[in-house]
């Protein structure tokens, strides 16, 4: 099928210019100031609109335990939010299961995706052993070139010795190591203290995970990464102190990429003081921080310390895993939904409100994520790349609401926020997936992205 997107303003990390885009099959074949239709092309009028590369969300939790969004629902929601590729956390490695059978199992779970996808192989501390380490090359061969580790959470936490060993072996293969950096042991102690003294409200979630625990873990793991010259990627950076550790590491030459998420830029810990049901929406780890941390994250973006904004999408129902019940803050499932809103939130709070340029925006949500994870055909609009395209009308507005979302979660943490600008069309490899918030694609059209290690 041939298509011409006419007269839109194409945005790249270098600038923005008005041109036509000619798409044949799945690929961008030509970009020129004027492309005349010959016969059977479908014409999409993009005059007065921005034309962005399809966005890439490199941190999602579709089909993880307790999540209401599976790959089908979650990827439709992603598409509605301008996302044309995602990288999901492959959770739940069973005892004795090999990495390759786990990856293959996830290929089955993801088969109904409507956008392109890849995986980060999650290796919980309790599953790390010599057998798993020996199997790392099989993950690379299967196109899964990044692993995710945790320095917090009961069953997932890794000791420094485990981290050292895994990072050593992963770095030899060129794998990227994603790290959830929080000092889990200190945090567990703090949670016990608070609960024993009857402090059970949601704000204690932030009190028991102070910024120094994130910064300390970030420093520890980056020291190990630096020692082995590994490719390190710190997920969901939330605070100034952790950013300072990342700055220091970068200055001494550590190979580190930092990610943050819209929730840490838009919300702060005041949301944890709302009433029980409301505050449960805003429980995520690391927790929402203080206003000065939010400012330092925006600054970190503009200084190039943070190169990616991902959603860390978790679809946890208020009437499900987030139900506080009669217990305490530590029982509320952590994580926030955002796959559908990340793109517009970053456009609105970033570009419209003057915190970042249009070029930085496209870099954060499209171009850098593609580069960081070696998605070679993605992330920019140029000839030969996949025709992954998002058209945004800056003159429309959207009020974010659970009522119009495609995410299947029973609330939306951004409910009622009005953003200036709305997505009108989303194409993944030339296939129209979304037209004015309606899914018009086909289930299972998404492809597994077989990644190679970045050299
Ligand atoms: O609160 C969060 N971020 N939940 C998802 C799991 C994780 O730590 O990424
Ligand atoms: Zn995490
Ligand atoms: Zn996550």
């Amino acid at each position: 099928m041939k298509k011409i997107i006419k007269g839109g303003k194409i945005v790249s990390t270098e600038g923005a210019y008005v041109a036509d885009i000619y798409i044949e099959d799945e690929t961008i074949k030509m970009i020129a100031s004027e492309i005349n239709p010959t016969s059977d092309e479908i014409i999409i009028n993009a005059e007065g609109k921005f034309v962005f590369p399809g966005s890439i969300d490199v941190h999602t939790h579709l089909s993880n335990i307790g999540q209401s969004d599976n790959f089908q629902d979650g990827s439709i929601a992603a598409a509605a939010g301008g996302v044309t590729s995602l990288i999901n956390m492959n959770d739940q490695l069973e005892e004795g299961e090999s990495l390759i059978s786990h990856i293959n199992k996830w290929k089955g779970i993801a088969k109904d995706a409507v956008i392109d996808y890849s995986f980060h192989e999650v290796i919980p501390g309790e599953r790390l052993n010599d057998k798993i380490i020996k199997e790392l090359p099989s993950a690379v061969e299967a196109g899964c070139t990044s692993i995710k580790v945790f320095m917090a959470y009961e069953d997932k936490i890794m000791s420094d010795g485990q981290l050292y060993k895994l990072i050593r072996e992963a770095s030899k293969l060129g794998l990227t190591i994603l790290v959830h950096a929080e000092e889990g042991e200190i945090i567990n102690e703090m949670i016990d203290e608070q609960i024993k003294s009857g402090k059970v409200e949601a704000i204690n979630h932030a009190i028991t995970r102070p910024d120094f625990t994130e910064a300390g873990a970030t420093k520890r793991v980056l020291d190990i990464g630096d020692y082995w010259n590994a490719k390190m990627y710190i997920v969901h950076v939330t605070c100034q102190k952790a950013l300072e550790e990342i700055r220091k590491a970068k200055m001494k030459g550590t190979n580190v990429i930092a990610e943050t998420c819209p929730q840490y830029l838009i919300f702060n810990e005041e949301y944890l003081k709302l009433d029980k049901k409301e505050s449960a929406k805003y429980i995520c780890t690391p927790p929402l921080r203080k206003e000065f941390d939010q400012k330092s994250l925006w600054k970190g973006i503009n200084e190039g310390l943070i190169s990616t904004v991902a959603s860390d999408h978790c679809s946890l129902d208020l009437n499900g895993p987030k139900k506080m019940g009669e217990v305490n803050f530590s029982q509320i499932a952590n994580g926030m939904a955002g796959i559908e809103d990340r793109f517009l939130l970053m456009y609105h709070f970033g570009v419209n409100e003057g915190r970042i340029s249009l070029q930085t925006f496209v870099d954060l949500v499209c171009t850098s994520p593609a580069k960081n994870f070696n998605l070679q055909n993605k992330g920019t609009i140029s000839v030969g790349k996949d025709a992954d395209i998002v058209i945004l009308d800056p003159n429309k507005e959207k009020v974010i609401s659970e009522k119009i979302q495609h995410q299947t979660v029973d609330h939306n943490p951004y409910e009622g926020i009005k953003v200036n600008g709305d997505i009108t069309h989303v194409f993944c490899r030339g296939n129209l997936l979304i037209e004015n918030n309606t899914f018009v694609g086909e289930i299972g059209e998404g492809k597994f992205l077989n990644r190679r290690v970045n050299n």
Side-chain angles (χ1 to χ4, degrees):
M1 190 69 83
K2 297 167 189 162
K3 298 186 178 84
I4 302 175
I5 298 177
K6 282 203 81 63
K9 193 175 236 188
I10 300 172
V11 186
S12 76
T13 55
E14 310 298 312
Y17 59 101
V18 174
D20 295 352
I21 302 171
Y22 176 73
I23 299 167
E24 202 174 314
D25 303 323
E26 302 192 338
T27 311
I28 297 172
K29 290 279 174 158
M30 195 197 310
I31 302 173
S33 54
E34 181 85 52
I35 300 174
N36 293 318
T38 48
S39 55
D40 52 347
E41 295 93 349
I42 295 171
I43 309 292
I44 300 103
N45 180 4
E47 269 173 47
K49 297 178 185 164
F50 285 124
V51 181
F52 292 104
S55 158
I56 299 162
D57 192 343
V58 298
H59 185 166
T60 65
H61 291 273
L62 303 182
S63 294
N64 283 191
I65 285 180
Q67 310 281 334
S68 60
D69 282 331
N70 59 22
F71 259 85
Q72 181 179 318
D73 310 319
S75 64
I76 291 174
V83 177
T84 53
S85 303
L86 62 82
I87 312 187
N88 200 58
M89 298 296 170
N90 270 11
D91 219 345
Q92 297 129 238
L93 181 66
E94 304 291 340
E95 183 152 19
E97 190 177 20
S98 68
L99 290 184
I100 192 67
S101 61
H102 189 241
I103 292 167
N104 286 336
K105 184 166 86 187
W106 272 93
K107 285 185 179 170
I109 294 171
K111 70 177 182 357
D112 290 334
V114 306
I115 63 169
D116 292 348
Y117 55 91
S118 184
F119 307 129
H120 305 295
E121 185 64 1
V122 177
I123 306 186
E126 63 173 7
R127 297 278 177 266
L128 184 67
N129 53 37
D130 289 346
K131 176 178 161 291
I132 291 293
I133 286 191
K134 281 207 192 89
E135 287 173 5
L136 288 174
S138 67
V140 177
E141 277 158 34
C144 191
T145 56
S146 43
I147 54 174
K148 164 86 180 289
V149 297
F150 291 86
M151 297 171 79
Y153 299 151
E154 299 275 287
D155 49 335
K156 292 189 175 140
I157 191 166
M158 264 190 200
S159 69
D160 284 11
Q162 286 181 306
L163 283 170
Y164 178 82
K165 196 169 172 178
L166 183 57
I167 292 173
R168 179 183 70 205
E169 298 306 315
S171 66
K172 290 180 192 160
L173 299 167
L175 282 158
T176 300
I177 301 134
L178 287 82
V179 187
H180 174 120
E182 282 190 302
E183 302 198 303
E185 288 189 10
I186 300 178
I187 289 168
N188 290 345
E189 213 39 60
M190 287 183 152
I191 293 173
D192 275 358
E193 274 169 12
Q194 287 306 91
I195 291 174
K196 278 190 190 132
S197 53
K199 295 180 179 156
V200 293
E201 306 76 23
I203 186 61
N204 293 289
H205 178 68
I207 291 171
T208 55
R209 308 183 95 91
D211 57 359
F212 79 83
T213 57
E214 185 181 337
T218 303
K219 177 182 166 18
R220 264 164 54 211
V221 79
L222 288 182
D223 280 346
I224 303 173
D226 186 67
Y227 186 76
W228 289 114
N229 199 19
K231 290 173 190 159
M232 305 301 290
Y233 182 102
I234 309 294
V235 294
H236 49 46
V237 175
T238 71
C239 61
Q240 187 180 39
K241 282 197 174 122
L243 260 187
E244 284 316 311
E245 295 305 333
I246 289 163
R247 185 195 306 278
K248 282 187 233 160
K250 274 186 183 282
M251 281 175 72
K252 73 172 183 198
T254 309
N255 190 348
V256 55
I257 293 164
E259 164 203 286
T260 193
C261 316
Q263 53 271 38
Y264 300 112
L265 294 161
I266 295 169
F267 300 129
N268 56 43
E269 65 180 25
E270 293 304 306
Y271 285 79
L272 297 175
K273 297 177 184 161
L274 297 171
D275 70 39
K276 261 191 182 184
K277 193 159 183 184
E278 273 297 298
S279 57
K281 292 180 190 169
Y282 302 99
I283 296 271
C284 52
T285 56
L288 300 177
R289 302 287 187 196
K290 300 192 188 304
E291 215 180 307
F292 75 84
D293 290 306
Q294 294 176 278
K295 288 200 176 118
S296 71
L297 292 178
W298 286 110
K299 188 161 171 271
I301 286 173
N302 282 313
E303 290 173 345
L305 278 179
I306 295 174
S307 68
T308 297
V309 171
S311 68
D312 194 4
H313 178 72
C314 291
S315 48
L316 299 164
D317 284 338
L318 281 180
N319 286 316
K322 277 196 176 287
K323 206 168 195 159
M324 195 172 194
E326 64 289 353
V327 211
N328 66 60
F329 67 91
S330 76
Q331 308 281 327
I332 303 170
N334 55 281
M336 287 172 60
I339 206 167
E340 190 161 352
D341 301 309
R342 159 183 156 275
F343 186 90
L344 280 179
L345 287 167
M346 289 307 297
Y347 174 76
H348 181 76
F349 287 97
V351 181
N352 285 345
E353 298 204 342
R355 294 183 178 94
I356 56 172
S357 68
L358 201 54
Q359 278 60 56
T360 300
F361 164 73
V362 80
D363 200 23
L364 282 177
V365 300
C366 309
T367 311
S368 274
K371 272 195 208 135
N372 294 341
F373 291 101
N374 211 11
L375 299 173
Q376 289 177 348
N377 292 328
K378 310 289 186 187
T380 58
I381 295 183
S382 42
V383 173
K385 298 273 180 190
D386 285 352
D388 295 351
I389 288 172
V390 177
I391 304 181
L392 179 143
D393 185 343
N395 298 313
K396 284 179 98 173
E397 60 180 39
K398 175 175 181 179
V399 179
I400 295 175
S401 175
E402 189 239 324
K403 294 190 187 76
I404 56 164
Q405 73 185 6
H406 300 77
Q407 301 168 154
T408 56
V409 62
D410 66 0
H411 66 284
N412 186 312
Y414 303 96
E415 185 73 33
I417 290 181
K418 190 176 97 180
V419 291
N420 295 325
D422 198 5
I423 293 166
T424 60
H425 299 78
V426 178
F427 299 87
C428 179
R429 282 179 286 101
N431 297 313
L432 181 62
L433 296 187
I434 297 289
E435 196 165 7
N436 297 319
N437 206 36
T438 302
F439 175 64
V440 294
E442 274 171 38
I443 303 304
E445 244 176 342
K447 269 194 192 159
F448 175 69
L449 297 168
N450 198 355
R451 290 181 291 135
R452 297 276 153 249
V453 286
N454 241 340
N455 289 309

